[in-house]
């Protein structure tokens, strides 16, 4: 029997993935902490959690693609709700980064005696902002321009151009991730070097994690665009990835200006203000 649907909404079928995903996140978090503290079984639990997350991403994306592309459940009203949901998700991400920026500025604007009363702390050699960080800025902005090119190509109906633009976006994102990893390897300080190391690696590392997630998102979109899933009027999956990409770019600009440039110049400014009194 065929059942006619008399409303534009999508009543989602029961799914185990909203439960499996958080369980994987919990396992990877606990396993990561155990691994960092050299507890037995920490690496195994971390691997299990990451595997659960990757599997959840695959099967959940599969279900959403089937519902939107092949079953036609993503009507205009459903897409509108998804847009609101994506906006709220990005707002929640902004709040997460706000916590890291708050910690950074709290310890930078008024460094207490416990952390040396100077920022950056004594003994910390800050990174040159005009080296890898500036190169990363150019790469991320170019990646954002490429994803905008892909969006306009989809709106104009140029399928091949959209695929080329998405491939360029993905390659630039991979280069950015690689340069960030190289910066971590060559950094003269670690995450255990006081509040400076903690805030630096948490803020930049959290951003790098978002770049990796956004890259996976764009890879899925590139495959879907190659398979012809997106049309000029039905491509919210790509729009969500593009919004996420631009959000990551904006966060990086704040990171570059505040942590790399301003945070690294504080010690120089303090030295220039030193006054030598005659004896």
């Amino acid at each position: 029997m065929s059942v006619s649907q008399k409303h534009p909404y999508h009543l989602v079928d029961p799914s185990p993935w909203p439960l499996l995903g958080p369980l994987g996140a919990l396992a990877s978090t606990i396993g990561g902490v155990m691994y960092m503290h050299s507890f037995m079984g920490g690496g195994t639990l971390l691997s299990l959690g990451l595997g659960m997350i990757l599997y959840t991403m695959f099967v959940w994306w599969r279900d959403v693609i089937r519902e939107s592309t092949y079953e036609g459940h993503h009507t205009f009203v459903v897409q509108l709700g998804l847009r609101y949901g994506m906006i709220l998700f990005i707002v929640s991400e902004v709040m997460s980064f706000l916590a890291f920026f708050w910690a950074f500025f709290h310890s930078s604007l008024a460094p207490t005696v416990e952390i040396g009363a100077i920022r950056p702390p004594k003994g910390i050699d800050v990174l040159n902002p005009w080296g890898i960080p500036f190169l990363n800025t150019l790469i991320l902005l170019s990646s954002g321009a490429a994803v905008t090119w892909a969006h306009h190509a989809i709106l104009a109906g140029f399928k091949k151009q959209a695929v080329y633009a998405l491939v360029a976006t993905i390659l630039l994102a991979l280069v950015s991730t690689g340069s960030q990893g190289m910066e971590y390897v060559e950094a003269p300080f670690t995450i255990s070097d006081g509040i400076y190391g903690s805030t630096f690696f948490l803020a930049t590392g959290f951003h790098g994690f978002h770049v990796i997630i956004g890259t996976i998102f764009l890879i899925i979109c590139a495959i879907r665009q190659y398979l012809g899933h997106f049309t000029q009027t039905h491509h919210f999956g790509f729009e969500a990835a593009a919004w996420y990409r631009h959000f990551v770019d904006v966060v990086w600009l704040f990171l570059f200006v505040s942590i790399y440039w301003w945070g690294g110049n504080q010690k120089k400014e303090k030295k220039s203000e030193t006054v030598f009194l005659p004896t």
Side-chain angles (χ1 to χ4, degrees), residues 176-253:
S176 172
T177 303
S179 62
Q180 187 76 39
M182 184 172 63
E183 178 187 79
Y184 282 176
V185 172
E186 297 180 354
F189 54 90
T190 66
I191 194 173
S192 61
D193 285 328
I195 188 66
Y196 184 86
S198 298
T199 53
F200 175 86
F201 280 101
L202 279 174
T204 58
F206 197 55
H207 175 270
F209 174 74
H210 281 70
V211 172
I212 294 173
I213 296 298
T215 303
I216 297 174
F217 203 170
L218 288 168
I219 290 173
I220 299 299
C221 289
I223 296 173
R224 295 190 63 191
Q225 175 62 23
Y226 179 77
L227 295 175
H229 289 182
F230 298 137
T231 66
Q232 293 171 272
T233 57
H234 196 278
H235 55 269
F236 172 72
F238 167 79
E239 283 186 341
W243 292 357
Y244 195 81
R245 175 80 252 178
H246 292 312
F247 159 71
V248 169
D249 291 344
V250 172
V251 170
W252 176 259
L253 292 177

Side-chain angles (χ1 to χ4, degrees), residues 12-20 56 59-60 62-64 66-67:
V12 183
D13 295 330
S15 172
W17 316 135
L19 177 61
L20 183 63
T56 302
V59 292
W60 206 340
R62 177 203 63 189
D63 291 350
V64 172
R66 182 184 66 246
E67 293 166 356

Side-chain angles (χ1 to χ4, degrees), residues 45-85:
L45 185 59
L46 174 61
S47 301
L48 176 63
L50 292 176
M52 292 171 63
I53 292 174
L54 291 175
Y55 177 75
T56 302
M57 292 172 65
F58 175 79
V59 292
W60 206 340
W61 248 314
R62 177 203 63 189
D63 291 350
V64 172
I65 291 172
R66 182 184 66 246
E67 293 166 356
S68 63
T69 305
Y70 300 109
E71 297 179 356
H73 289 307
H74 286 190
T75 62
F76 175 78
V77 175
V78 173
Q79 290 185 59
L80 184 62
L82 292 173
R83 283 181 169 83
Y84 288 149

